[in-house]
């Protein structure tokens, strides 16, 4: 595996691959790789001749009250995991390679509507940071396909919309969430949980599954189900930011009779903010 830090070195390699007629799949990450990320890399391997993984802890997607310095950085271990999966290139740029200007002067990519709901309410500016860096990474790597996890479902929709609206020639592939045996979705933030908090954390997915069963069983008062779900999370000792039953296509609040739904939740446990979701299609 080659590791490069600059766009110039990345482009040189990309040009060679293009001249050889080889396609590229990109897996954008912020590092601290777990089995969920590795599943994305395995999927990328199936989709293209060459696999590029980026590791970049993106300052633009962290709010002023969020501690970017505390975000786990484990580059040496990450490199070993990627090598074991036969990754072709690791792109790990320093901040100055990605952002040349003062934050206030940087060009931004804003996806209205979708970015302003759910996590966007609690993390203002977060999805603009995500959309901007993903757009930059697409322009730097120029992949044919890019792979993202469905655990960050709102992020996945924001990226699909950005690609559509800006006519970017990149296919977006979504990959299912990888879970612990007790249902907890894998996340770099799980590392912040104490043993006691970890024992409560599966309540998020258990609540989503419970609501999905109710809906499959015919319950149609979605706003009432949301209130019940929030109470269930609070009862399990979590501090929910939101729990909503939405249309899977655009994250607008779901109404009875709609068929493709997603139930999404974000909740705090100690200093970890956990998110999860469950997609369901009704007959
Ligand atoms: O999902 C993530 O890890 C990040 O939001 C991403 C897509 C790599 C952009 O920084």
């Amino acid at each position: 595996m080659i590791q490069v830090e600059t766009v110039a070195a990345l482009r040189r390699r990309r040009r060679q691959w293009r001249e050889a007629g080889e396609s590229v799949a990109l897996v954008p990450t912020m590092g601290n790789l777990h089995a969920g990320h590795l599943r994305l890399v395995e999927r990328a391997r199936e989709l293209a001749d060459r696999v590029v993984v980026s590791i970049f802890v993106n300052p633009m997607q962290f709010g002023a009250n969020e501690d970017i310095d505390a975000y786990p950085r484990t580059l040496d271990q990450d490199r070993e995991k990627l090598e074991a999966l036969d990754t072709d290139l690791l792109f790990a740029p320093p901040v100055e390679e990605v952002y040349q200007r003062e934050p206030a002067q940087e060009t931004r990519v804003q996806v209205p509507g979708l970015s302003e709901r759910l996590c966007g309410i609690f993390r203002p500016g977060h999805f603009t940071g995500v959309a901007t860096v993903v757009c930059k990474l697409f322009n730097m790597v120029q992949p044919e396909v890019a792979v993202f996890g469905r655990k960050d479902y709102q992020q996945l929709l924001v990226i699909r919309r950005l690609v559509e609206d800006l006519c970017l020639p990149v296919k977006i592939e979504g990959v299912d969430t990888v879970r612990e045996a007790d249902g907890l979705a894998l996340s770099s933030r799980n590392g912040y949980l104490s043993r006691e908090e970890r024992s409560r954390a599966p309540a998020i997915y258990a609540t989503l599954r419970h609501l999905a069963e109710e809906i499959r069983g015919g319950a149609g008062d979605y706003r009432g189900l949301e209130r019940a779900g929030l109470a269930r999370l609070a009862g399990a000792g979590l501090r929910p930011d939101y729990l909503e039953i939405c249309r899977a296509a655009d994250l607008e609040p779901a109404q009875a009779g709609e068929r493709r739904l997603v139930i999404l939740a974000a909740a705090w446990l100690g200093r970890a903010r956990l998110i999860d979701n469950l997609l369901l299609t009704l007959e």
Side-chain angles (χ1 to χ4, degrees):
M1 183 177 77
I2 313 153
Q3 179 177 334
V4 301
E5 277 86 30
T6 65
V7 177
L10 173 69
R11 289 243 165 94
R12 275 196 294 277
R13 189 60 62 162
R14 182 67 185 94
R15 200 172 311 120
Q16 287 170 6
W17 289 340
R18 186 172 293 112
E19 283 165 8
E22 293 175 324
S23 59
V24 170
L26 170 66
V27 183
T29 81
M30 299 208 297
N32 194 231
L33 303 181
H34 51 64
H37 295 111
L38 303 184
R39 183 73 62 81
L40 306 183
V41 178
E42 284 163 358
R43 182 69 186 125
R45 186 74 286 158
E46 293 167 356
L47 294 171
D49 302 310
R50 299 287 183 172
V51 174
V52 174
V53 176
S54 62
I55 294 185
F56 179 65
V57 182
N58 172 34
M60 201 190 266
Q61 70 188 74
F62 286 79
N65 57 341
E66 297 174 351
D67 190 1
I68 183 173
D69 295 332
Y71 197 85
R73 289 164 171 83
T74 52
L75 190 59
D76 290 340
Q77 294 96 306
D78 292 348
R79 197 184 297 113
E80 278 175 27
K81 291 175 186 169
L82 293 174
E83 265 167 359
L85 287 182
D86 207 16
T87 305
D88 292 285
L89 188 143
L90 167 60
F91 179 47
V95 173
E96 317 77 71
E97 191 68 14
V98 178
Y99 294 109
Q100 281 89 30
R101 289 172 224 295
E102 291 295 301
Q105 302 302 320
E106 275 285 342
T107 299
R108 273 148 216 267
V109 179
Q110 202 200 346
V111 178
L114 268 179
S115 299
E116 289 140 20
R117 293 195 24 69
L118 304 167
C119 281
I121 296 172
F122 296 89
R123 304 184 69 190
H126 169 70
F127 288 114
T128 296
V130 171
T132 302
V133 82
V134 166
C135 201
K136 280 175 179 264
L137 288 166
F138 285 177
N139 287 330
M140 291 169 177
V141 179
Q142 301 182 5
E144 275 78 15
V145 56
V147 186
F148 295 87
R150 290 206 178 93
K151 183 178 83 68
D152 298 296
Y153 187 76
Q154 186 173 9
Q155 168 174 286
L156 181 63
L157 290 199
V158 166
I159 292 165
R160 285 195 197 284
R161 177 76 60 84
L162 129 86
V163 163
E164 196 181 316
D165 288 357
L166 298 184
C167 308
L168 301 181
V170 185
K171 180 177 177 297
I172 303 301
E173 176 81 359
V175 171
D176 283 345
T177 304
V178 179
R179 299 181 181 280
E180 303 279 7
D182 59 11
L184 178 65
L186 296 195
S187 163
S188 300
R189 292 188 165 87
N190 294 353
Y192 297 150
L193 299 172
S194 69
R195 187 198 283 253
E196 199 272 330
E197 289 158 356
R198 173 65 187 79
S199 70
R200 294 171 186 266
I204 300 183
Y205 190 52
T207 301
L208 300 182
R209 286 180 52 174
H210 171 75
L211 294 178
E213 279 316 302
E214 296 275 308
I215 294 171
R216 281 199 194 95
D221 173 13
Y222 293 157
R223 305 295 86 82
L225 287 175
E226 290 168 354
R227 284 192 295 277
L230 285 167
R232 197 177 157 125
L233 290 177
L238 288 91
R239 287 173 289 126
D241 273 350
Y242 64 79
L243 182 150
E244 288 195 31
I245 303 167
C246 297
R247 294 201 299 234
D250 60 7
L251 299 184
E252 288 301 315
Q255 307 300 333
E258 273 152 355
R259 291 188 57 236
R260 287 197 61 242
L261 307 178
V262 58
I263 314 172
L264 308 101
W268 289 88
L269 256 177
R271 67 186 187 99
R273 183 177 186 276
L274 306 178
I275 60 171
D276 204 349
N277 66 80
L278 192 156
L279 280 158
L280 78 156
T281 303
L282 300 178
E283 292 309 315

